[in-house]
Amino acid sequence: MKKTILLIITMVAFIGVNAQINIGGSVGFSVSNSESTTDGTSVDGPTNTSITLLPEVEYMLAENLSIGGQIGFSFNKTKDDANDFESSLFMFEIAPYGRMYFPLGENIELFGEGGIGFARGTEKITIDGTSNDGNTYTDFSLGVAPGLRYAISEKLKLELRAGYLGYMFSSINDNGDPETVQKYNDFGLNINLSTVAFGIKYSL
């Protein structure tokens, strides 16, 4: 028993010394607005603000194999001053994954990523200065995604994910009385802008 425990401790220590840890993530920010003009009179439309912050840690188990995950949030806000209306949605997100890398050249690698994604948040709505809870959104995904990693230097790498094959579930709970829940299920290949993500990694 003591020999077994000693062997496990030795293996863990060996992995810790020889493993490589990559830190990074993705950040997104956008603002959009509109304006309409009728008979020479201009009226500002709603302003939409979107922020995404997803720090990421990746632990290399072997030269071409890793585990890791993202944990962070997304925030979306819509403000309409003309109608004294404002809505905001803060979504907590977590996405653990496993990866296999396939070298394509000296500085570029193709990878396949399998993982789970979960996000949840409740909308806040303010009308005429009065705030109330709006819909509660829940998203879940399970699948695989391809990507590319390019090494700018030995320590710094850029990543691109594009496409998704797997199962996706989302629900919208209106928190009303009576309560209404809408559920959506999707399985298949999804290739659009929502599946494209850029990131950056730094090797410790």
Side-chain angles (χ1 to χ4, degrees):
M1 181 66 179
K2 290 182 179 180
K3 290 182 178 180
T4 302
I5 295 174
L6 181 60
L7 177 61
I8 293 173
I9 293 174
T10 302
M11 291 176 64
V12 171
F14 178 80
I15 291 173
V17 169
N18 291 277
Q20 179 182 345
I21 297 176
N22 301 321
I23 59 172
S26 57
V27 178
F29 176 77
S30 67
V31 177
S32 64
N33 52 38
S34 61
E35 181 182 272
S36 62
T37 302
T38 303
D39 293 332
T41 301
S42 298
V43 178
D44 290 333
T47 298
N48 299 298
T49 304
S50 177
I51 301 172
T52 302
L53 178 61
L54 292 171
E56 182 176 346
V57 176
E58 181 184 19
Y59 185 85
M60 301 300 298
L61 299 175
E63 184 178 358
N64 295 323
L65 182 65
S66 72
I67 57 173
Q70 292 181 321
I71 182 169
F73 71 89
S74 63
F75 176 77
N76 292 279
K77 180 178 179 180
T78 299
K79 188 174 183 180
D80 187 352
D81 291 331
N83 295 300
D84 200 8
F85 171 85
E86 181 178 302
S87 70
S88 60
L89 175 63
F90 180 94
M91 296 277 285
F92 169 78
E93 301 185 23
I94 183 170
Y97 64 77
R99 278 188 185 177
M100 178 71 75
Y101 288 93
F102 306 92
L104 298 180
E106 184 177 351
N107 296 320
I108 190 167
E109 295 174 295
L110 174 69
F111 64 80
E113 177 180 300
I116 299 172
F118 176 80
R120 184 177 175 86
T122 298
E123 184 180 27
K124 299 292 183 181
I125 297 177
T126 302
I127 301 176
D128 295 330
T130 302
S131 298
N132 292 289
D133 287 343
N135 296 332
T136 295
Y137 296 84
T138 303
D139 295 326
F140 174 81
S141 60
L142 174 65
V144 296
L148 286 173
R149 183 169 76 173
Y150 178 76
I152 299 176
S153 66
E154 184 180 353
K155 295 287 188 180
L156 194 62
K157 302 174 179 68
L158 296 178
E159 293 185 349
L160 168 67
R161 298 182 186 93
Y164 192 82
L165 174 62
Y167 169 73
M168 288 175 284
F169 166 82
S170 62
S171 70
I172 303 174
N173 186 332
D174 70 359
N175 295 313
D177 187 14
E179 183 179 62
T180 301
V181 180
Q182 302 176 54
K183 297 181 179 180
Y184 305 90
N185 294 277
D186 184 24
F187 179 81
L189 178 63
N190 189 3
I191 302 176
N192 55 45
L193 289 178
S194 67
T195 63
V196 177
F198 294 91
I200 188 168
K201 289 276 183 65
Y202 182 81
S203 301
L204 299 178

